Amino acid sequence: MASNSPAPEGIDVQETPTAGAWGEWNPTEDSARPVRGKHRVLKPRGGLARSSTVLGVGVIAAVGAGGIATAQDRPQAAISMPSLPDLPDLLGGGGHASDAPAVRTAGIPQQADGAGLSRPDAGEALRHRILQQAESQHEAVEAQARADAERIAREAAAQEARGQKEAADKEAEAARAAAEKAAADQAAAEKAATERAAAERATVKAAATGAGPATKAAGGYSLPTSAYTLTSHYGDSGSMWSSGHHTGLDFAAPTGTPVKAVGGGKVISAGWSGPYGYRIVLQLDDGTEVWYCHLSSMAVTSGSVGAGETIGRVGATGNVTGAHLHLEVRRGGSTVDPLAWLEGKGLNV
């Protein structure tokens, strides 16, 4: 209620607010602010000086005497606050923050608003979002780790497959080489058996008749040996010869069978000659060279000889598969067919 009591003398008192929309106004120790500026001190009356403290007490007494001051007579002031989104709005939730009790919904604490609806609690929503993000990152890391492990496993499997293929290729190559070697060995064994059989037949035939083929013919030429069998001819192909083809004529005969000069001439070379074994080179009077190869022994190593003279013996030295005489005929450094050359000299080979 408003009071009409006069204010203490010497104090300027403004119009007291009346009760209104603001409600009653009761100054307290906490709400009353200290008076700023200089205090007005009245002149002493009746011998008593009023200080600022006395003035303050007088103001409080005046207000108390007038009853409770209100602000009904003052116009109401509109107070507006900026509409700021609350944290749940920023995080994607709806509604506004409230002091209403929290209600948990779908794992996220909710708050009940004035309409009875529930909305996520700001802190719990933030924590839930952080946990979801951490879980997503963890799943992404695990997925990447699984992908890397699968890639490494695929690369290891591919490398192992390549290693197995290389090993299989090497084994196949080794098997092919072994098969080729076995075939070559078998061919060489068959050739040696053929040469031995031919030599044995020639020996038996010579023993039965008491003489071999004619060794001399008109013109002073002689067959290179007796009791023989022709096995490999000039021009035959095979892996046994370094040039890929046979460069002479082979007379298969037992080891020790005499080897004779086919014509008169001189021995220009005698000794070891690698794949040819022990070899004698006889140069005839017309310059033709006759090579006697694979000999077991050499009777003449130099000097002149006559047709039909023994110069060595059949053997199996050098690159051979059995005992035989390898005869080569060369003119101007090139080989010619010994069979045709001997027949051209009137010899019955």
Side-chain angles (χ1 to χ4, degrees):
M1 295 177 61
S3 176
N4 297 324
S5 301
E9 186 177 355
I11 299 178
D12 295 334
V13 179
Q14 298 179 353
E15 182 181 357
T16 303
T18 61
W22 293 354
E24 295 181 354
W25 179 72
N26 296 320
T28 63
E29 182 180 357
D30 295 331
S31 62
R33 296 182 179 178
V35 181
R36 296 183 179 179
K38 297 181 179 180
H39 299 288
R40 180 180 180 185
V41 181
L42 300 179
K43 295 180 179 181
R45 293 184 179 179
L48 178 61
R50 296 182 180 179
S51 62
S52 58
T53 302
V54 177
L55 290 176
V57 173
V59 170
I60 294 174
V63 173
I68 299 174
T70 62
Q72 293 179 350
D73 298 334
R74 291 185 175 273
Q76 297 183 358
I79 301 176
S80 62
M81 295 294 291
S83 178
L84 298 176
D86 127 29
L87 187 57
D89 294 335
L90 295 176
L91 296 177
H96 299 279
S98 173
D99 293 335
V103 179
R104 292 188 175 272
T105 303
I108 303 178
Q110 307 288 316
Q111 286 186 344
D113 55 12
L117 301 177
S118 62
R119 56 180 181 272
D121 179 75
E124 288 296 327
L126 177 60
R127 187 177 68 86
H128 185 69
R129 286 293 182 89
I130 293 174
L131 292 177
Q132 284 184 338
Q133 184 177 5
E135 184 177 357
S136 300
Q137 293 177 354
H138 182 67
E139 292 177 353
V141 170
E142 289 184 347
Q144 184 63 35
R146 288 194 298 269
D148 293 341
E150 292 175 357
R151 176 179 56 79
I152 294 173
R154 288 194 300 269
E155 292 177 355
Q159 185 175 2
E160 183 178 359
R162 287 194 297 269
Q164 292 178 353
K165 184 178 182 303
E166 292 177 358
D169 292 342
K170 289 181 180 178
E171 291 179 359
E173 183 65 24
R176 285 194 296 270
E180 292 176 357
K181 185 178 184 301
D185 293 343
Q186 183 178 0
E190 292 176 354
K191 184 176 183 294
T194 301
E195 291 177 350
R196 284 194 299 270
E200 291 174 358
R201 286 194 302 269
T203 301
V204 172
K205 181 180 178 181
T209 59
T215 58
K216 286 189 179 182
Y221 288 94
S222 173
L223 289 175
T225 188
S226 60
Y228 62 86
T229 299
L230 298 179
T231 53
S232 296
H233 292 72
Y234 180 81
D236 290 347
S237 60
S239 60
M240 292 295 297
W241 303 294
S242 59
S243 61
H245 65 275
H246 198 215
T247 56
L249 182 64
D250 288 349
F251 295 80
T255 298
T257 302
V259 174
K260 301 176 182 181
V262 296
K266 61 180 179 180
V267 176
I268 61 174
S269 176
W272 181 262
S273 184
Y276 289 105
Y278 287 109
R279 181 190 66 175
I280 293 176
V281 178
L282 173 64
Q283 187 179 50
L284 303 180
D285 295 337
D286 63 356
T288 301
E289 292 184 1
V290 181
W291 291 11
Y292 301 83
C293 306
H294 308 308
L295 302 176
S296 61
S297 64
M298 296 177 294
V300 179
T301 58
S302 63
S304 298
V305 296
E309 182 179 345
T310 299
I311 59 176
R313 294 189 179 275
V314 174
T317 58
N319 186 16
V320 298
T321 57
H324 70 280
L325 169 66
H326 174 83
L327 185 74
E328 282 192 16
V329 179
R330 292 176 175 258
R331 285 180 176 176
S334 300
T335 60
V336 298
D337 187 356
L339 180 60
W341 184 84
L342 289 173
E343 289 177 347
K345 299 303 181 181
L347 296 174
N348 183 18
V349 182

